[in-house]
Amino acid sequence: MAARGHVQDPNDRRLRPIYDYLDNGNNKMAIQQADKLLKKHKDLHCAKVLKAIGLQRTGKQDEAYALAQEVAALEPTDDNSLQALTILYREMHRPELVTKLYEAAVKKVPNSEEYHSHLFMAYARVGEYKKMQQAGMALYKIVPKNPYYFWSVMSLIMQSISAQDENLSKTMFLPLAERMVEKMVKEDKIEAEAEVELYYMILERLEKYKEALDVVRGKLGEKLTSELQSRENKCMAMYKKLCRWPECNALSRRLLLKNSDDWQFYITYFDSVFQLIDESWTPPPEEEHSLEGEVHYSIEQAVKFIEERITEESKSSRPLRGPYLAKLELIRRLRYRGCNDEYKLGDPEELMFQYFRKFGDKPCCFTDLKVFVDLLPSSQYTKFISQLLAVIPLSAAAEGELALPSDIKALQQHLCVVQLSRLLGIYHAMEKKQKLAAVRELMLRYRHGLEFGKSCLKTELQFSDYYCLLAVHLLLDLWLEGEETAVWQCLTLLEEGLSHSPSNAQFKLLLIRIYCRLGAFEPVAELYSSLDAKHIQHDTIGYLLTRYAEALGHYAAASQSCNFALRFFHSNQKDTSEYIIQAYKYGAFEKIPEFIAFRNRLNSSLHFAQVRTERMLLDLLLEANISTSLEESIKSMSLSPEEDDIPWNDLRDNRDLTVLFNWDPKDRDISEEHKKLSLEEETMWLRIRSLTLRLVSGLPTLSHTIQPKNSEKTAENGVSSKIDTIRSLLQQLEVAVDSGKKFLEQKIQYPVLGPPPTRMAGFFSNGSCQCQTSLFYLVSDIYELDTNGLEDSAEIQERIGNSFNSLVERLTDLFSKCKGDLIEVRDGTLKTHPSLLENLVFFVETISIALWVSSYCDSVLRPFKSNMQKKKKKKKESSLAMPPVFTHFLDYVAELQTLTSNVIDHIRGLEIILSALKLEELSLKDTLLLEEEKKFTKTVQGKVQSSYHHSVQEIGELLKKRLDTIKKLKI
């Protein structure tokens, strides 16, 4: 809250209790205390603001805003009121009001350093870079401190970054910033490292690399001390930009002599050597090779240099991996260039074998060697693995038993070999029986390895966890080959693994993926929450949750998972502003553009757009015309059919698609092509969902507020333009659907651990798409009937009648695709049918849209009916013919009611079947299952059964509410 305690002002003492109530979350008492104080001291502005904060936090936003504006209009200059108003506006998400507040304060107290700096930070929150530049200079004039001057310079750079015109950025903003810094350099006023960093950043953006290099190498460069090798890294970056390869080479060589384990400098060293060879560079006679010293410009020198590093390493007190891996990297580069000099370095197979002997007991050994396995010829794979196995100290308790490691080092070595075997495709080439034997062996090794981890804490991973994961990967291969029992064994082994290693995120992620593939969402929510995803992870791995929650009928969990994600995305906007302000305060100028880019990347996130759209559709599904009217629901979401807030051209796919560990060979692993196709598919599905949402949001705008045939009045009311919007959106939907269908014709199969496919294929194949599109076309016909009247609209009425009939047929057909057992037992094996569940969810959504459209029909036909009844009374005719559209509509509503009742009965039947299914009676006679595994199998099957039961219940409850809505539809 406001700074208090250091000034003994009587007002501070009076306000103290209100602050305390607000700090403790007791907002009602804070409001009461503020009211008491205001009765005695009417002019105590701060009390009014604190009351407004209390009102804001109790949900009375309008009252809070009115009270705040009362105080703001008085242009207060006391610190308490200003700070309290700042807090209030921040909670209201109205940072732009803070700027007005401090603009007024600065006018009244023009020499206040504090108010000027608050004004600068207020501009920073809203990204007013031009005003920030002016505020920074005004501050510097009042208090000539360097940071204020450089705040102004940085604001110029931000203007250049945000400028749409790159030319303007390079000809105006950046040169001006450069001149401002040069002035300080000439006057010798540069004091801090941050100021040198800023100068370097300006020169780099202006592409003045030579000048930037001079700054770093000169006297100013001596101030670059906070980061390790900051100066050298900046020099290296500039040498690369200037293509000064001799300097690049000499500097990287010098740095490697200092630290022969720094991988980035090996890469630069090799890059520069080969560039110099390609340019046929030779050193100048009688001169220094380069500014940075001696240069290597031949393969012989590079080979000799690497050999020297390895010799040096052997004398080192701790083993270094860098020199050995550098040798393999050099061989790879020589092979790529088709050179025959690689023999000078040795045989890659032998080098990798020696590397394994030296580092095989380190978990990083596998990831180090993984990069270089393509140096081995495929005919040598089995021999190479046997060679590695031969040097691992394994011992068998008795003859014929499995040879097991006696300590953690031997276990790590063996694990490394098993991972390499998987990577080289040795496991993939096995027959089914061999794979099952391998699974059994891996699980024996896993359980044996648990002995080494008895003292591990719950938060630590067991040493042998990877054995369990590799066994599961083998079982997943079998499942994909059609072995139905394998998937249940996967879940069994993962649940067992998780019981020994409760913090293993890989077990949890794999469980989430497999449960979702089987259509069971209930256990997933708990697993995901135990992952304790933080901050950016809601964007990178949130898709694992949001893709399946609603699709599998867990509406409450879907709402919750969308809320998790949206809370993060919305707070990102506010948090990033705070990071930027901190960066200004502490002079971390180079981080400011990074924070801005981070914020933009999140605002353009594909997942953010998906979650926003699905959340609104879900809210409408659960509430519209049930607890609130469709119109109110749409109004509360501020939805408008004309507005599209998704940045289609800038969508960023921030999903982490490699979050699951994988040891598959390259040809089976997730490729860049898969990622590209997945993004394309996700974008198409998002477009269909977004257009559906906008079409639904357009229904209330057509509501019956006009007299038929009064076309001039129609245009005035803007309703005719509304129907044009609906028709335009409908055309866009048709285009999006066509693109989606063309995409699906490619029949893309993603790897089992790759990106999950969207719901698009089901949406098309079960007929939901055709139903929903027809419903929106029906809206257009009814609107036409509304404007033409009943008299001369026989053709339209017939068209509407036909639409009603075909809709009932389509909905009945959709229902027929929901029939069948969700879980069936076949030959003692359990099989789930998640597609039936997804079809049921689509049915509920489609019937809901049908009801919203029917409500619109109702609103159009009702006034016609009452007009006709009035005419009847006037003419006293009893035989006034009823137009056919009324009969069509009433028949349609009756059929909808019957269909929905049938679906509810079907769901009730599913519930009974699921409750009666006694899974414990399933024969678990599979010889592969041990006693402890059977226990986990029962748990797993119970979770799947319970999840399906839960899904069916939630779908049934929602349909019952929809049935009540149908019953109210009577013209």
Side-chain angles (χ1 to χ4, degrees):
M1 279 292 166
R4 57 190 192 276
H6 58 284
V7 182
Q8 277 309 312
D9 176 357
N11 282 342
D12 270 16
R13 197 185 66 250
R14 290 176 189 131
L15 295 167
R16 176 68 55 84
I18 311 178
Y19 281 121
D20 291 340
Y21 283 131
L22 286 172
D23 286 344
N24 297 327
N26 197 341
N27 300 314
K28 284 185 180 171
M29 284 302 292
I31 295 167
Q32 285 175 21
Q33 191 70 28
D35 281 333
K36 275 186 202 170
L37 195 54
L38 285 166
K39 277 178 189 169
K40 293 180 189 171
H41 307 275
K42 285 182 181 173
D43 296 333
L44 193 49
H45 305 320
C46 186
K48 269 190 185 177
V49 184
L50 295 177
K51 180 186 173 182
I53 292 175
L55 289 166
Q56 167 72 17
R57 290 177 184 176
T58 48
K60 295 173 182 168
Q61 282 89 345
D62 295 342
E63 284 178 57
Y65 181 66
L67 209 51
Q69 291 311 85
E70 246 179 72
V71 179
L74 301 167
E75 299 184 347
T77 54
D78 64 295
D79 198 34
N80 281 343
S81 299
L82 289 169
Q83 293 238 16
L85 275 167
T86 304
I87 288 165
L88 175 63
Y89 288 148
R90 213 178 294 169
E91 286 184 15
M92 286 178 161
H93 304 296
R94 297 288 301 275
E96 70 283 358
L97 296 174
V98 181
T99 58
K100 290 174 185 162
L101 205 59
Y102 279 103
E103 278 167 4
V106 161
K107 275 179 193 163
K108 285 190 175 180
V109 191
N111 289 332
S112 163
E113 179 184 359
E114 187 184 355
Y115 290 173
H116 269 283
S117 67
H118 278 308
L119 178 61
F120 181 87
M121 295 310 176
Y123 286 141
R125 276 197 183 90
V126 291
E128 291 265 16
Y129 303 125
K130 175 101 178 115
K131 288 182 178 173
M132 283 163 72
Q133 180 202 341
Q134 292 160 351
M137 283 318 286
L139 246 173
Y140 184 68
K141 281 171 189 166
I142 300 165
V143 190
K145 290 181 184 172
N146 268 22
Y148 297 151
Y149 185 86
F150 283 94
W151 283 5
S152 187
V153 175
M154 184 63 215
S155 303
L156 269 170
I157 296 177
M158 290 314 297
Q159 282 179 71
S160 88
I161 291 171
S162 61
Q164 298 295 317
D165 181 1
E166 200 178 326
N167 194 30
L168 185 70
S169 160
K170 287 193 172 166
T171 54
M172 190 171 93
F173 298 124
L174 288 171
L176 179 54
E178 184 190 12
R179 284 199 297 279
M180 283 177 76
V181 181
E182 276 173 355
K183 179 175 176 283
M184 296 296 265
V185 173
K186 280 172 189 160
E187 292 171 14
D188 201 20
K189 285 186 182 173
I190 298 278
E191 293 167 1
E193 179 180 5
E195 295 158 12
V196 182
E197 289 269 14
L198 195 57
Y199 191 19
Y200 173 82
M201 195 201 300
I202 293 165
L203 293 169
E204 191 181 17
R205 284 180 180 275
L206 279 168
E207 295 175 16
K208 292 187 172 182
Y209 303 129
K210 171 81 178 68
E211 291 81 345
L213 186 63
D214 294 343
V215 168
V216 178
R217 286 180 61 86
K219 190 172 165 229
L220 289 175
E222 289 167 16
K223 294 186 187 293
L224 299 169
T225 54
S226 68
E227 275 182 43
L228 202 64
Q229 295 172 331
S230 168
R231 209 172 169 185
E232 287 88 345
N233 283 328
K234 284 182 168 55
C235 280
M236 189 76 84
M238 291 304 101
Y239 288 142
K240 281 182 186 173
K241 294 277 188 192
L242 292 162
C243 294
R244 286 170 63 169
W245 299 112
E247 278 78 9
C248 260
N249 181 274
L251 180 57
S252 53
R253 191 188 71 83
R254 204 176 76 224
L255 290 165
L256 284 169
L257 289 173
K258 269 194 209 169
N259 175 10
S260 61
D261 211 30
D262 199 327
W263 187 250
Q264 62 169 331
F265 296 127
Y266 279 115
I267 299 299
T268 314
Y269 175 76
F270 291 141
D271 286 346
S272 56
V273 166
F274 289 118
Q275 284 286 352
L276 293 170
I277 290 170
D278 291 342
E279 290 169 15
S280 310
W281 184 88
T282 48
E286 301 158 21
E287 275 181 50
E288 270 282 338
H289 277 201
S290 72
L291 282 175
E292 298 288 353
E294 190 191 332
V295 177
H296 286 171
Y297 52 94
S298 70
I299 290 171
E300 285 72 18
Q301 285 171 310
V303 171
K304 185 169 178 259
F305 179 67
I306 297 299
E307 294 289 5
E308 282 169 5
R309 296 292 59 72
I310 290 174
T311 312
E312 285 291 312
E313 190 278 335
S314 58
K315 297 173 191 168
S316 150
S317 56
R318 73 183 180 91
L320 302 175
R321 291 145 54 217
Y324 298 98
L325 293 172
K327 199 171 190 179
L328 287 164
E329 175 65 20
L330 185 53
I331 290 176
R332 191 168 67 172
R333 288 184 179 227
L334 289 168
R335 270 203 194 175
Y336 178 73
R337 293 168 67 87
C339 297
N340 294 325
D341 295 305
E342 60 170 277
Y343 64 87
K344 295 175 185 170
L345 287 151
D347 175 27
E349 189 181 337
E350 182 55 30
L351 291 173
M352 286 161 84
F353 174 65
Q354 293 305 332
Y355 185 84
F356 175 78
R357 292 194 76 152
K358 202 167 179 64
F359 300 104
D361 59 338
K362 304 280 185 290
C364 60
C365 182
F366 168 72
T367 43
D368 288 345
L369 291 179
K370 181 183 179 178
V371 187
F372 301 107
V373 289
D374 52 355
L375 293 177
L376 296 172
S378 52
S379 56
Q380 298 293 315
Y381 288 171
T382 318
K383 178 186 158 226
F384 176 63
I385 293 294
S386 308
Q387 197 182 358
L388 297 184
L389 282 170
V391 294
I392 304 172
L394 301 176
S395 54
E399 206 174 314
E401 280 192 21
L402 195 63
L404 297 164
S406 54
D407 59 11
I408 294 167
K409 280 191 170 185
L411 182 137
Q412 285 289 7
Q413 284 178 311
H414 189 267
L415 248 181
C416 178
V417 178
V418 175
Q419 291 174 78
L420 282 168
S421 306
R422 174 88 184 160
L423 180 71
L424 296 171
I426 291 169
Y427 281 122
H428 295 88
M430 289 179 177
E431 297 288 316
K432 178 184 160 184
K433 272 188 180 171
Q434 290 174 301
K435 279 185 183 172
L436 289 170
V439 169
R440 182 56 50 226
E441 183 195 321
L442 287 168
M443 286 312 289
L444 278 171
R445 292 189 180 282
Y446 166 66
R447 293 187 186 107
H448 168 258
L450 293 175
E451 289 173 19
F452 302 121
K454 279 180 178 167
S455 60
C456 286
L457 300 173
K458 274 192 170 182
T459 49
E460 294 177 316
L461 306 186
Q462 289 289 337
F463 296 107
S464 60
D465 277 355
Y466 278 10
Y467 281 128
C468 184
L469 269 180
L470 282 154
V472 171
H473 279 231
L474 271 171
L475 286 167
L476 281 174
D477 292 347
L478 286 168
W479 183 45
L480 292 177
E481 287 161 20
E483 189 63 38
E484 206 54 55
T485 49
V487 73
W488 298 100
Q489 277 179 272
C490 285
L491 291 172
T492 300
L493 300 186
L494 287 169
E495 289 281 5
E496 182 186 343
L498 201 55
S499 70
H500 296 299
S501 197
S503 296
N504 191 318
Q506 286 300 319
F507 287 160
K508 291 175 188 176
L509 289 165
L510 204 42
L511 276 167
I512 286 173
R513 285 302 299 269
I514 298 172
Y515 274 129
C516 285
R517 285 281 296 251
L518 292 174
F521 187 79
E522 198 172 44
V524 168
E526 195 183 325
L527 284 163
Y528 187 82
S529 97
S530 72
L531 277 170
D532 199 15
K534 293 274 194 304
H535 202 258
I536 188 69
Q537 288 174 314
H538 288 300
D539 192 19
T540 56
I541 62 171
Y543 71 94
L544 293 171
L545 201 60
T546 51
R547 156 66 182 88
Y548 290 102
E550 186 191 349
L552 297 172
H554 282 259
Y555 297 120
S559 278
Q560 206 180 0
S561 56
C562 288
N563 283 347
F564 279 147
L566 288 175
R567 207 173 300 137
F568 159 66
F569 285 115
H570 291 316
S571 67
N572 152 56
Q573 204 68 25
K574 192 173 70 181
D575 293 349
T576 315
S577 302
E578 296 310 311
Y579 305 152
I580 291 165
I581 284 166
Q582 294 307 316
Y584 270 109
K585 278 185 184 169
Y586 296 107
F589 296 123
E590 77 279 6
K591 294 292 164 207
I592 295 171
E594 289 177 29
F595 288 139
I596 302 277
F598 176 72
R599 179 167 67 194
N600 294 343
R601 181 166 179 177
L602 283 180
N603 288 342
S604 310
S605 160
L606 166 77
H607 187 232
F608 180 28
Q610 287 172 324
V611 171
R612 228 168 42 221
T613 307
E614 292 296 346
R615 175 67 222 251
M616 289 192 273
L617 278 166
L618 184 62
D619 281 353
L620 292 177
L621 192 64
L622 299 178
E623 288 162 19
N625 288 357
I626 293 176
S627 53
T628 55
S629 72
L630 178 64
E631 191 169 359
E632 282 167 17
S633 298
I634 285 166
K635 195 177 172 187
S636 69
M637 293 177 197
S638 313
L639 264 175
S640 157
E642 293 86 2
E643 284 173 26
D644 183 7
D645 60 350
I646 296 173
W648 294 106
N649 297 330
D650 303 317
L651 276 181
R652 292 292 298 267
D653 186 2
N654 298 332
R655 295 173 300 163
D656 183 354
L657 298 173
T658 54
V659 67
L660 287 150
F661 284 174
N662 202 343
W663 297 275
D664 286 341
K666 263 186 192 166
D667 58 327
R668 287 169 174 264
D669 203 359
I670 176 172
S671 64
E672 285 307 311
E673 183 64 15
H674 286 132
K675 291 178 187 176
K676 193 168 126 285
L677 288 166
S678 174
L679 172 60
E680 198 181 326
E681 183 180 347
E682 295 286 352
T683 311
M684 283 174 181
W685 178 234
L686 174 60
R687 202 179 283 278
I688 290 170
R689 301 298 278 168
S690 167
L691 288 165
T692 306
L693 177 65
R694 287 167 67 196
L695 280 161
V696 170
S697 73
L699 288 175
T701 62
L702 302 173
S703 58
H704 194 73
T705 51
I706 45 152
Q707 289 299 313
K709 287 201 163 181
N710 194 343
S711 51
E712 284 172 34
K713 200 168 173 186
T714 308
E716 276 171 40
N717 279 352
V719 179
S720 67
S721 65
K722 299 285 184 195
I723 193 68
D724 291 341
T725 306
I726 298 275
R727 284 169 183 158
S728 153
L729 289 173
L730 200 42
Q731 281 177 333
Q732 289 174 49
L733 182 63
E734 288 280 16
V735 172
V737 165
D738 284 343
S739 315
K741 284 178 178 166
K742 279 197 186 100
F743 179 86
L744 290 175
E745 281 167 14
Q746 300 174 59
K747 293 194 168 50
I748 293 148
Q749 284 290 318
Y750 300 112
V752 66
L753 301 177
T758 64
R759 299 165 63 196
M760 189 158 67
F763 181 63
F764 293 153
S765 65
N766 64 27
S768 304
C769 175
Q770 295 85 329
C771 275
Q772 292 186 15
T773 317
S774 309
L775 281 162
F776 294 123
Y777 274 117
L778 178 61
V779 171
S780 178
D781 285 343
I782 289 162
Y783 178 84
E784 215 175 307
L785 177 72
D786 193 9
T787 45
N788 290 343
L790 289 175
E791 283 78 13
D792 13 306
S793 59
E795 190 193 327
I796 300 172
Q797 290 188 45
E798 191 183 340
R799 199 160 69 226
I800 291 171
N802 292 337
S803 296
F804 284 149
N805 292 335
S806 74
L807 271 168
V808 172
E809 278 172 29
R810 281 185 169 152
L811 284 164
T812 312
D813 186 44
L814 174 52
F815 171 41
S816 70
K817 291 189 176 139
C818 304
K819 289 178 181 172
D821 289 333
L822 293 175
I823 301 180
E824 61 170 329
V825 180
R826 197 189 295 164
D827 306 329
T829 307
L830 215 57
K831 181 156 176 58
T832 60
H833 296 285
S835 60
L836 293 177
L837 205 52
E838 294 210 22
N839 288 351
L840 261 175
V841 170
F842 274 129
F843 178 85
V844 176
E845 187 182 293
T846 310
I847 206 91
S848 299
I849 295 175
L851 294 181
W852 297 327
V853 172
S854 302
S855 295
Y856 169 59
C857 297
D858 188 59
S859 71
V860 169
L861 296 177
R862 205 172 281 236
F864 283 141
K865 181 97 179 258
S866 58
N867 283 346
M868 284 184 68
Q869 281 166 343
K870 282 174 195 169
K871 280 181 191 174
K872 259 188 195 178
K873 279 179 187 171
K874 276 183 191 173
K875 295 183 179 178
K876 293 181 181 166
E877 284 181 38
S878 55
S879 60
L880 199 67
M882 279 292 254
V885 73
F886 290 109
T887 326
H888 294 321
F889 181 65
L890 289 170
D891 290 348
Y892 169 65
V893 170
E895 283 174 313
L896 277 188
Q897 193 173 325
T898 312
L899 179 62
T900 311
S901 300
N902 291 344
V903 180
I904 291 169
D905 290 340
H906 170 66
I907 287 173
R908 211 170 285 131
L910 289 176
E911 277 187 59
I912 294 164
I913 293 167
L914 285 168
S915 306
L917 199 64
K918 294 208 172 6
L919 296 180
E920 59 271 16
E921 289 172 10
L922 267 182
S923 54
L924 297 170
K925 58 183 182 223
D926 193 307
T927 47
L928 275 173
L929 288 177
L930 305 173
E931 269 314 306
E932 65 253 46
E933 288 181 6
K934 288 183 182 175
K935 179 181 75 184
F936 289 110
T937 304
K938 282 180 184 173
T939 311
V940 163
Q941 294 180 338
K943 283 181 178 178
V944 172
Q945 182 184 10
S946 160
S947 176
Y948 269 92
H949 198 262
H950 193 129
S951 297
V952 166
Q953 272 180 329
E954 280 205 47
I955 294 169
E957 288 303 312
L958 184 53
L959 264 182
K960 280 174 197 165
K961 289 175 186 169
R962 287 284 166 219
L963 183 59
D964 294 341
T965 325
I966 301 177
K967 288 174 182 171
K968 290 173 193 163
L969 282 176
K970 295 281 183 278
I971 314 169

